[in-house]
Amino acid sequence: MNSLYDAMIAGTGKYVPKEIRDNHYFTERMDTSDEWITTRTGMKYRHIAAPGEASSDMALEAAKKALDAARMNANDLDMVVVGTISPDHMFPSTGCMLLKKLGIKDIPAFDLSAGCTGLIYALTVGAQFVMNGKAKNVLVIGVEILSRLINWQDRGTAILFGDGAGAVILSIAKNVSISKLIDTDLTADGTHAELLMQKAGGSKYPATEETVRNSEHTVYMEGNKIFKFAVRSMYDSCHKILKRNNIDISKIDWLIPHQANYRIIESLGKKLGIHTNRVIVTIDKYANTSSSTVPIALDDAIRSKKIRRGDLVLLVAFGAGLTSGSVLFRY
Ligand code: ACO
């Protein structure tokens, strides 16, 4: 990418709430089975936020870990970008709430809504400010409490989602550094927006007694149509970014795809021709935490020393919008 500076990942962090729900939680409450959930999705456990716990609280915990990993404190930050579809409030932004909790002010902070592609979009936006010299250090967050937006009677969606937060600190890369962001790719197709949405509670259909009665403020999803889009769009984004940078898939050390369904991850891996042992999978532990699946998986892989400095890493996601995108970097 043409830029004044290179951006690099200086630190990562994650937070998942204490309460863990396994598949049996659902088998006791609805017509489903551990076998169905495991074989159709790959999910075993999901973490659920405690009453009163907000997205900004979870983002704060992930941010503190990322700052520690980058050997920085909050005063070193020049910007905060939060990818989320479950913000604390419609307004003000979770970014501003987080700023307050970090004890800092007088820097830009905002939210960005790109569904499960939120972290990829937020990283891309944050990187622009680092690469053009407007910011030295940007805190990028993916955070979701989708458990508050779920229809707990709907077996088609209730089993799929968990809560969590992931944080990435983007910083200016020193000239000698091997670590750098190589390229990003973003796209969206609004013609299929209705396949995955929260129908009510916004300005088009404000919350009424009727919308609440009909659970229209919860996640509506046409899962099998999204499934096809997921594999195709993530493959297209990976293919485009690799081709543009003249990199063969065999050179990628780690692929971190959005964790929505193990069968989607498996199909993507096969289509790309990457060995399963180079694909990071966390869906069994956390289920689909939307914009935070990618940074949580990234942080897990770094802390378990799977990903090491110098490794070539490809992040890819898709989500509500419908959005999709990828980020290619050398860690
Ligand atoms: N337990 C048992 N049976 C179930 C369950 C369940 N929890 N959920 C659905 N079924 C049933 C259906 O009712 C259907 O029954 P029928 O044949 O009698 O009508 C049957 O299973 C098959 O349903 P499908 O929807 O075709 O099942 P599929 O294999 O597609 O799996 C799933 C459903 C897991 C949702 C899958 O389609 C999927 O993962 N899709 C992608 C979802 C996704 O990626 N979402 C992105 C969200 S990202 C964001 O931005 C928030």
Side-chain angles (χ1 to χ4, degrees):
M1 287 190 280
N2 292 331
S3 59
L4 287 174
Y5 302 96
D6 282 324
M8 65 171 277
I9 292 181
T12 63
K14 74 155 193 289
Y15 171 81
V16 287
K18 282 194 191 67
E19 185 189 337
I20 298 174
R21 284 186 191 166
D22 65 10
N23 292 344
H24 298 292
Y25 175 92
F26 299 96
T27 60
E28 285 158 14
R29 287 165 177 82
M30 54 183 66
D31 181 16
T32 190
S33 64
D34 179 38
E35 201 255 335
W36 194 97
I37 300 173
T38 308
T39 55
R40 295 294 186 107
T41 71
M43 295 169 185
K44 286 275 185 200
Y45 306 98
R46 61 289 283 151
H47 292 246
I48 303 293
E53 196 167 28
S55 288
S56 59
D57 296 321
M58 303 205 312
L60 175 67
E61 296 309 316
K64 282 192 212 159
K65 296 209 178 82
L67 285 166
D68 275 356
R71 296 194 178 85
M72 286 179 199
N73 64 58
N75 290 307
D76 295 317
L77 297 173
D78 302 306
M79 176 179 279
V80 174
V81 189
V82 179
T84 186
I85 52 168
S86 48
D88 287 16
H89 307 280
M90 287 287 279
F91 68 90
S93 71
T94 302
C96 288
M97 306 307 277
L98 176 58
L99 220 55
K100 183 177 166 188
K101 288 176 183 176
L102 283 166
I104 52 173
K105 58 181 180 176
D106 302 330
I107 60 167
F110 56 95
D111 293 0
L112 178 159
S113 170
C116 303
T117 320
L119 191 275
I120 303 285
Y121 268 65
L123 268 181
T124 304
V125 171
Q128 308 309 310
F129 287 84
V130 174
M131 293 187 311
N132 70 18
K134 293 260 182 203
K136 283 198 179 73
N137 304 306
V138 176
L139 171 61
V140 177
I141 301 275
V143 60
E144 305 289 1
I145 307 191
L146 285 182
S147 62
R148 307 256 163 83
L149 303 181
I150 294 298
N151 176 354
W152 289 101
Q153 317 304 319
D154 174 17
R155 67 177 181 171
T157 51
I159 57 148
L160 297 177
F161 298 100
D163 302 330
V168 177
I169 310 270
L170 278 177
S171 299
I172 289 188
K174 299 199 175 66
N175 286 340
V176 291
S177 174
I178 186 177
S179 308
K180 69 169 185 168
L181 211 110
I182 298 167
D183 200 359
T184 69
D185 173 66
L186 300 181
T187 191
D189 178 358
T191 58
H192 302 296
E194 72 290 345
L195 294 180
L196 179 53
M197 61 161 51
Q198 184 187 9
K199 290 184 176 176
S203 59
K204 184 168 181 181
Y205 297 117
T208 63
E209 281 180 23
E210 195 188 356
T211 62
V212 173
R213 205 167 36 246
N214 296 337
S215 293
E216 286 170 314
H217 56 288
T218 61
V219 173
Y220 171 84
M221 185 176 79
E222 295 186 33
N224 41 24
K225 289 189 189 150
I226 299 278
F227 195 104
K228 288 176 200 136
F229 169 83
V231 178
R232 196 181 57 244
S233 65
M234 289 201 290
Y235 172 78
D236 287 349
S237 191
C238 291
H239 182 67
K240 214 189 307 171
I241 206 167
L242 291 173
K243 195 167 172 216
R244 194 158 65 210
N245 293 281
N246 205 16
I247 292 173
D248 189 81
I249 190 71
S250 61
K251 297 283 181 284
I252 297 293
D253 294 304
W254 299 103
L255 174 72
I256 306 187
H258 172 44
Q259 314 276 313
N261 187 316
Y262 182 69
R263 290 182 295 136
I264 293 176
I265 297 172
E266 205 177 27
S267 303
L268 173 70
K270 272 196 191 130
K271 234 166 127 60
L272 284 171
I274 188 165
H275 198 278
T276 48
N277 65 10
R278 286 191 286 130
V279 182
I280 305 287
V281 177
T282 56
I283 194 165
D284 50 329
K285 291 192 284 183
Y286 310 118
N288 180 352
T289 58
S290 189
S291 66
S292 67
T293 68
V294 168
I296 286 176
L298 174 64
D299 184 66
D300 264 13
I302 290 172
R303 285 176 196 267
S304 64
K305 303 211 173 347
K306 269 187 180 168
I307 295 183
R308 292 167 186 275
R309 282 284 172 203
D311 282 357
L312 195 54
V313 184
L314 181 56
L315 313 177
V316 64
F318 70 95
L322 299 171
T323 57
S324 53
S326 54
V327 173
L328 178 66
F329 66 94
R330 204 167 273 289
Y331 177 62

